[in-house]
Amino acid sequence: MPKQKKAPKWYPTEDGPKSLTKTIKKTQKPTKLRSSIVPGTVLILLAGRFKGKRVVFLKQLESGLLLVTGPFKINGVPLRRVNQAYVIATSTKIDVTDVDTSGISDVPDQKTKRHFFSRVVAEAKEENDGEFVAPESKKSGLTEERKAMQAKVDATVTAAVEKTPMMKDYLKSRFSLEKGQYPHLMKF
């Protein structure tokens, strides 16, 4: 019987010299838009604060997210970014060719490092021990640019909604399911 080699008591922490091959970074491909989603399509939101609301799709942003609006005056949904995995596309369409969404982007600006959907951050308050009333400080919230764009987009989308009878009521109504209704068996 041949003598077997005994296992070593110590193993090296490295497995030997590593080859210095270059790692190639993969470039991010733009997200492919579903064929059922075209500008003007009425979508049903499935998740988030506005779940069950019907919204109008405007365009696909550079990040691959969808830009949608309620319009805010009709059903309270502002300009929002939504992942297409969280929407149901309906067969209802609205003409949104007149809507100007050129100023809306979710890529940060080079100078300010902010994008259209960035929020204004409130300034930190200084503590004053002797005063009971706090001085007025800058509130966080929406920028004036965003409010102006919301009003501009809503005006054109609302005009398009008014042209179709019952469309305003359709966008106001929430989507819900009753017992025994299955969304995968429905035709939207």
Side-chain angles (χ1 to χ4, degrees):
M1 221 169 158
K3 198 173 184 181
Q4 289 188 352
K5 193 174 183 182
K6 199 174 183 182
K9 291 183 180 179
W10 177 82
Y11 289 98
T13 56
E14 295 179 10
D15 292 336
K18 291 188 178 181
S19 61
L20 298 173
T21 58
K22 290 185 179 181
T23 55
I24 301 170
K25 289 186 177 182
K26 292 183 178 179
T27 57
Q28 187 177 8
K29 296 177 188 172
T31 308
K32 187 178 177 190
L33 192 61
R34 257 193 274 164
S35 61
S36 58
I37 302 174
V38 294
T41 304
V42 175
L43 307 174
I44 300 169
L45 299 180
L46 298 177
R49 181 176 165 200
F50 300 103
K51 66 181 163 212
K53 294 273 192 169
R54 292 180 169 95
V55 294
V56 179
F57 169 66
L58 300 174
K59 74 173 187 177
Q60 186 177 25
L61 298 167
E62 290 85 359
S63 65
L65 298 175
L66 309 178
L67 177 68
V68 299
T69 185
F72 187 75
K73 294 283 184 184
I74 293 178
N75 63 6
V77 181
L79 282 168
R80 283 182 74 80
R81 296 177 295 176
V82 180
N83 189 332
Q84 64 182 336
Y86 299 110
V87 299
I88 296 175
T90 65
S91 58
T92 310
K93 308 240 185 301
I94 296 172
D95 181 32
V96 291
T97 54
D98 299 337
V99 179
D100 180 32
T101 57
S102 59
I104 303 172
S105 174
D106 58 356
V107 175
D109 186 24
Q110 294 298 327
K111 292 179 185 175
T112 60
K113 304 289 186 218
R114 296 171 40 88
H115 55 79
F116 180 79
F117 293 97
S118 296
R119 293 201 171 263
V120 177
V121 180
E123 295 175 4
K125 295 181 181 178
E126 295 178 16
E127 292 187 24
N128 294 332
D129 296 330
E131 293 183 28
F132 289 108
V133 180
E136 290 291 321
S137 64
K138 193 176 182 182
K139 292 185 177 181
S140 63
L142 301 175
T143 61
E144 293 300 321
E145 172 200 11
R146 193 161 166 188
K147 289 178 185 176
M149 186 61 80
Q150 178 72 55
K152 181 177 150 187
V153 168
D154 275 1
T156 52
V157 173
T158 305
V161 167
E162 298 289 334
K163 292 177 185 174
T164 310
M166 301 292 288
M167 183 60 72
K168 191 172 183 179
D169 295 330
Y170 178 67
L171 289 174
K172 276 185 183 179
S173 66
R174 274 195 112 106
F175 174 77
S176 63
L177 295 171
E178 299 294 323
K179 189 175 181 180
Q181 291 181 329
Y182 305 106
H184 61 280
L185 297 176
M186 294 180 175
K187 184 179 185 301
F188 293 98

